[in-house]
Amino acid sequence: MIPLSWYIIFAAALFCVGLYGALARRNALAILMGIELMLNATNINLVAFWRYGTLAIRGQVFALIVFAVAAAEAAVGLALIISIYRCARRSPSKIST
């Protein structure tokens, strides 16, 4: 059986990679991918804590909440990309400046 500390270390590493991706990148899509990595690290922690029985509330409930937030985040990101694409198609000179 894998100890709880390995899950926590893996989730912390994944969270750090996501945080670096969100802070170091200037591309909106890369920032959203970094945020997704951070949310997935949270999911790993929640499910690991549920598995080892340290929380009173089920880990799956937390994971579902995080999935809902991630879905909302993806919808916002997609809306931003579509909006930028439409603006760029209308007047490419305004976007590049």
Side-chain angles (χ1 to χ4, degrees):
M1 183 177 219
I2 299 174
L4 179 63
S5 61
W6 288 20
Y7 288 110
I8 294 173
I9 291 170
F10 176 69
L14 191 63
F15 188 86
C16 288
V17 169
L19 184 64
Y20 175 75
L23 294 178
R25 300 290 180 174
R26 298 184 71 187
N27 186 355
L29 189 60
I31 292 171
L32 285 174
M33 288 173 57
I35 292 171
E36 283 291 328
L37 282 178
M38 289 190 288
L39 287 172
N40 286 332
T42 305
N43 279 337
I44 289 171
N45 271 338
L46 290 172
V47 172
F49 287 142
W50 164 78
R51 175 68 176 96
Y52 287 93
T54 58
L55 290 178
I57 299 175
R58 301 281 180 172
Q60 290 101 345
V61 174
F62 284 122
L64 287 176
I65 292 170
V66 172
F67 284 147
V69 171
E73 175 205 338
V76 169
L78 184 62
L80 284 172
I81 290 171
I82 289 172
S83 175
I84 290 171
Y85 176 74
R86 286 183 179 167
C87 287
R89 197 172 63 185
R90 283 189 202 145
S91 58
S93 62
K94 289 183 180 178
I95 296 298
S96 64
T97 58

